[in-house]
């Protein structure tokens, strides 16, 4: 239900859902997992969560709807958070909290960027949004920041959270490294594909009249990118 909720919701709903409501769900798992989940249920749940990271990533590779692509990417990242919170070690809980904060900023930023393109092109199809670098060169910088943080580029806060989660999952079961590593690789592929498709190439006939980014839009992007940068430079702000 989550991808459909993301896609059908207005932009404010998508941003709040990605940045706040999903994090409340993660917080609830952290609080309830030690008492309400038996050990026998943890194994299949973590297996499904890590497998879900791969499946949502493969779904993103074939998506032509930009908003649906970002929604499935959001589901994949929360699969890592869910698997980490169930292990219930200090290292895994710390990684889950870090990734939730990083994902909240990154996913909200991507949804907002996608809506800015939708307002100009009246479509969410990736093929109809190509060449936006020529129409909005400054917004391309924010697209690059959002795409690179989504794929956990070093030394961003996203990478720190994912590395902590992967390490704890590997210590819990070495077999999980295959699924988490494959999920990270697929995430990098579709994130770069999303950036290249929307920003590179020639403008379509309908996009040549696209108006440049407004100050309001640039300010919204700055309010997303600045916390990511500050948390990357000083991770102690999370704690």
């Amino acid at each position: 239900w989550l991808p459909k909720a993301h896609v059908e919701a207005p932009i404010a709903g998508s941003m709040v859902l990605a940045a706040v409501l999903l994090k409340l769900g993660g917080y609830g798992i952290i609080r309830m997992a030690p008492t309400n989940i038996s050990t026998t249920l943890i194994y299949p749940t973590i297996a499904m969560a890590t497998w879900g990271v791969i499946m949502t990533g493969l779904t993103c590779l074939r998506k032509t709807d930009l908003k649906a692509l970002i929604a499935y990417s959001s589901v994949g990242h929360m699969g890592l958070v869910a698997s980490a919170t169930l292990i219930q070690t200090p290292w895994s809980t710390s990684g889950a909290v870090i990734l939730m904060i990083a994902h909240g900023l990154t996913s909200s930023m991507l949804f907002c960027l996608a809506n800015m393109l939708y307002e100009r092109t009246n479509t969410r199809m990736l093929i109809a949004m190509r060449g936006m670098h020529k129409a909005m060169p400054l917004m391309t910088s924010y697209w690059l920041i959002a795409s690179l943080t989504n794929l956990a580029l070093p030394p961003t806060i996203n990478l720190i959270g994912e590395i902590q989660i992967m390490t704890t999952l590997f210590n819990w079961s070495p077999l999980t490294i295959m699924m988490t590593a494959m999920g990270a690789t697929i995430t990098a592929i579709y994130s770069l594909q999303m950036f290249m498709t929307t920003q590179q190439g020639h403008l379509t006939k309908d996009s040549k009249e696209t108006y440049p980014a407004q100050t309001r839009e640039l300010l919204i992007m700055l309010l997303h990118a600045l916390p990511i940068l500050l948390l990357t430079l000083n991770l102690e702000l999370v704690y």
Side-chain angles (χ1 to χ4, degrees):
W1 61 269
L2 185 59
K4 290 187 179 297
H6 272 306
V7 172
E8 299 298 332
I11 179 58
S14 296
M15 293 174 69
V16 172
L17 178 60
V20 180
L21 296 182
L22 286 180
K23 308 307 165 287
L24 290 176
Y27 175 72
I29 296 175
I30 293 173
R31 293 299 299 268
M32 300 299 291
T35 57
N36 288 13
I37 297 182
S38 63
T39 306
T40 55
L41 288 177
I42 289 178
Y43 295 100
T45 306
I46 292 180
M48 287 190 293
T50 52
W51 179 245
V53 175
I54 299 176
M55 295 306 296
T56 53
L58 293 175
T59 304
C60 288
L61 289 176
R62 60 182 296 274
K63 279 293 176 184
T64 57
D65 188 325
L66 178 59
K67 199 173 183 182
L69 190 156
I70 299 170
Y72 277 97
S73 173
S74 177
V75 174
H77 284 93
M78 292 309 294
L80 283 176
V81 172
S83 59
T85 52
L86 293 175
I87 298 177
Q88 287 297 317
T89 63
W91 193 256
S92 67
T93 305
S94 172
V97 172
I98 292 172
L99 186 58
M100 280 195 293
I101 294 173
H103 170 266
L105 293 168
T106 304
S107 184
S108 176
M109 186 176 183
L110 283 170
F111 275 118
C112 192
L113 284 167
N115 184 71
M116 291 176 187
L117 294 185
Y118 174 72
E119 289 176 346
R120 289 164 170 80
T121 60
N122 292 319
T123 180
R124 295 199 301 260
M125 294 296 103
L126 283 169
I127 194 65
M129 296 178 177
R130 64 182 186 271
M132 284 298 165
H133 170 67
K134 299 177 181 178
M136 298 186 293
L138 185 55
M139 197 60 71
T140 304
S141 302
Y142 289 113
W143 266 106
L144 182 62
I145 293 172
S147 300
L148 293 181
T149 52
N150 191 59
L151 62 86
L153 182 79
T156 57
I157 184 176
N158 302 60
L159 177 75
I160 298 171
E162 288 194 13
I163 288 295
Q164 286 195 13
I165 292 174
M166 289 180 183
T167 304
T168 52
L169 285 173
F170 180 76
N171 290 332
W172 179 75
S173 174
L175 292 175
T176 58
I177 192 64
M178 294 188 294
M179 290 183 283
T180 54
M182 189 180 301
T185 304
I186 297 172
T187 301
I189 293 173
Y190 70 70
S191 296
L192 292 176
Q193 180 185 16
M194 175 180 63
F195 174 77
M196 296 295 290
T197 305
T198 57
Q199 304 304 310
Q200 301 298 315
H202 299 286
L203 278 171
T204 60
K205 185 189 304 183
D206 299 329
S207 301
K208 292 184 177 179
E209 302 297 328
T210 301
Y211 55 92
Q214 301 175 357
T215 304
R216 169 184 57 85
E217 296 171 332
L218 294 174
L219 182 59
I220 294 174
M221 291 299 98
L222 182 63
L223 293 176
H224 283 85
L226 197 58
I228 295 175
L229 179 61
L230 293 177
L231 290 172
T232 300
L233 295 176
N234 186 11
L235 190 58
E236 293 181 358
L237 295 175
V238 176
Y239 304 102

